[in-house]
Amino acid sequence: MTNMFEPKSLSGMGLIEAAETIREGTVTSRQLVDDCLARIDEHDPAIKAWAHLKPDHAREQADACDKLRRTGKVTGPLHGVPIGIKDIIDTAHVPTEYGSKIFKGRVPFNDAWVVSRLRNLGAIIIGKTVTAELANVGPNETRNPHDTSRTPGGSSSGSAAAVASYMVPGALGTQTGGSVIRPASYCGIYGFKPTWGLIPRSGVLLQSHILDHVGTFGRSVADAALLAECLMGYDPDDPATSVVNYPQPLAEICRQEPPVGVKLGFARTPKWNEAEPATQEAFEELCEVLGDEAEDLDLTGTFENAWEWHRTLMNADNAFHYGAIYDKSGDQLHPDLRANIEHGRTVTATQYLGALQGRERLLEIWDEMLEEYDAIITPAAAGEAPEGLQSTGDAVFCKLWSLMGVPAVSLPLMVGENGMPLGVQLVGRVGDDAKLLRTANWLVETLSQE
């Protein structure tokens, strides 16, 4: 697998490496930001990952970070590191237009909770990354860095492409169906969707209160883990969060050795027949390599209803949150989004409550299953990134995990038959994010030695 945009400069550093070199004084934040901006100038005309950039403001933030570091005062774990923010996450006095011409010119007065947290930890908000329309199904112009004739996935298209093309060491995305895991798979980077409710969503476009997650992109398991760790917390404005979900040392734990032997389950899921033949073959070979450390996991029965439950909840919530937009400007929405809203308006209260009940039952079963395994292996996507920009791909291998709100991570461990990235998805138990990431890092290191 080759990446035509691979750099030989500061922008090639991962998030943790960048933070450490700035902290040590090897490079300055201003040098790193200038290098990232130069790379964006050079390559974004082909990739189109960025919706809005504020170069002068980014440089001002970097200069302030460097000035603070020279005083010897304690700095945060992301001090001086530039981060990309998906354009459905509010940034004060910087446009947040939701990838929609309907919201052209929208400029929030306040930062989203996660953006405020990033600023407090010293991160540089370098710009807003392109999103699919209203974080839904409508594609955009962002292209895959490995092959610009292909999609990078969606809806967190720009965030994944920006990290993959070395324009920025880390970025934020969101996932309601498969909008972090799938773009990470297509673009050949690490994408992490934490347990539902660990990262507050105040100031993030609300699509479904029961399905929306904030996720992270990085160039290693530890990079994605650190970015997520920095964003975990309690927010009284987001009822999904809890005071008991205190921050976990994800980046530290993920780099530790598992205390005992690792046991993995291989879940084809009831949608296995929708995986491309090359994907099926690759995962069968992976399980052969892992041998006794991976065993088949049967997800038939109750799990077969999960995709319909996800559709019911997502479309009904879309109809509720986007209904006014549909009524006023429906002709400006993508046809598939209009269809989702129209379906959502037909969902009955009985169907909606039934889907919620089904979700709770799945979580009970899943919790029992995961007592035997450190994590579950399953495809991150049906195959390589599709050709063309007419679609951002299918989230069929992500929706089950989004429905349950369990943690998931995509690892760029495979290459498809056309030389494009193919992600391996690992899934864990609710709240066991650190254990999942440690297992993921173990798998990466184990396969690198094969």
Side-chain angles (χ1 to χ4, degrees), residues 100-306:
S100 170
K101 55 188 175 183
I102 297 172
F103 290 93
K104 187 75 172 175
R106 178 183 179 272
V107 180
F109 289 106
N110 300 303
D111 284 329
W113 194 97
V114 290
V115 174
S116 179
R117 173 62 68 88
L118 287 174
R119 293 193 197 276
N120 290 337
L121 296 177
I124 308 299
I125 308 304
I126 197 169
K128 308 300 290 291
T129 57
V130 171
T131 175
E133 180 189 58
L134 300 178
N136 209 279
V137 292
N140 50 59
E141 294 184 345
T142 306
R143 298 169 182 271
N144 193 305
H146 298 273
D147 180 347
T148 55
S149 70
R150 295 174 183 261
T151 179
S155 62
S156 306
S157 312
S159 289
V163 173
S165 55
Y166 300 92
M167 297 179 190
V168 69
L172 301 190
T174 63
Q175 177 161 315
T176 306
S179 297
V180 169
I181 298 300
R182 187 173 77 263
S185 177
Y186 287 171
C187 290
I189 58 173
Y190 296 82
F192 174 46
K193 181 196 78 63
T195 293
W196 181 79
L198 285 189
I199 298 179
R201 302 163 301 175
S202 299
V204 181
L205 176 68
L206 185 58
Q207 185 169 192
S208 170
H209 69 283
I210 200 69
L211 301 173
D212 289 346
H213 302 68
V214 173
T216 61
F217 295 99
R219 299 199 196 108
S220 69
V221 175
D223 281 355
L226 177 61
L227 189 50
E229 173 187 330
C230 290
L231 299 175
M232 293 166 56
Y234 170 66
D235 175 13
D237 291 328
D238 184 351
T241 63
S242 169
V243 292
V244 301
N245 288 332
Y246 53 86
Q248 306 171 25
L250 299 181
E252 176 186 347
I253 292 175
C254 86
R255 289 179 284 186
Q256 297 174 355
E257 284 289 323
V260 293
V262 171
K263 185 177 181 181
L264 301 170
F266 173 39
R268 291 175 177 81
T269 84
K271 299 295 182 180
W272 181 246
N273 64 338
E274 296 186 32
E276 296 176 5
T279 300
Q280 294 182 2
E281 182 179 351
F283 274 85
E284 299 290 357
E285 291 177 357
L286 173 61
C287 287
E288 289 181 10
V289 170
L290 293 173
D292 294 338
E293 290 169 327
E295 61 181 46
D296 286 350
L297 183 67
D298 184 9
L299 293 186
T300 55
T302 304
F303 284 91
E304 294 176 340
N305 300 313

Side-chain angles (χ1 to χ4, degrees), residues 288-426:
E288 289 181 10
V289 170
L290 293 173
D292 294 338
E293 290 169 327
E295 61 181 46
D296 286 350
L297 183 67
D298 184 9
L299 293 186
T300 55
T302 304
F303 284 91
E304 294 176 340
N305 300 313
W307 285 261
E308 184 57 33
W309 289 335
H310 181 280
R311 179 172 180 261
T312 294
L313 295 174
M314 182 169 177
N315 287 356
D317 285 350
N318 279 183
F320 178 77
H321 293 294
Y322 297 162
I325 301 171
Y326 175 93
D327 291 337
K328 183 178 179 180
S329 307
D331 60 329
Q332 298 183 59
L333 296 175
H334 189 275
D336 290 345
L337 176 52
R338 291 203 304 270
N340 288 349
I341 294 171
E342 289 162 1
H343 168 257
R345 286 180 162 177
T346 70
V347 172
T348 66
T350 300
Q351 291 170 328
Y352 192 88
L353 293 174
L356 288 177
Q357 186 179 61
R359 174 181 180 270
E360 293 305 312
R361 177 58 182 148
L362 290 180
L363 279 169
E364 292 173 1
I365 298 172
W366 186 250
D367 196 56
E368 293 175 3
M369 281 185 171
L370 267 289
E371 289 180 359
E372 300 183 27
Y373 303 100
D374 293 283
I376 303 304
I377 293 178
T378 194
E384 300 170 301
E387 292 183 337
L389 303 179
Q390 295 77 30
S391 167
T392 59
D394 193 339
V396 66
F397 285 99
C398 305
K399 290 179 179 178
L400 171 59
W401 323 118
S402 293
L403 173 69
M404 292 196 294
V406 295
V409 59
S410 180
L411 312 175
L413 295 177
M414 295 181 174
V415 179
E417 59 185 347
N418 296 302
M420 293 293 292
L422 188 62
V424 174
Q425 183 173 200
L426 261 63

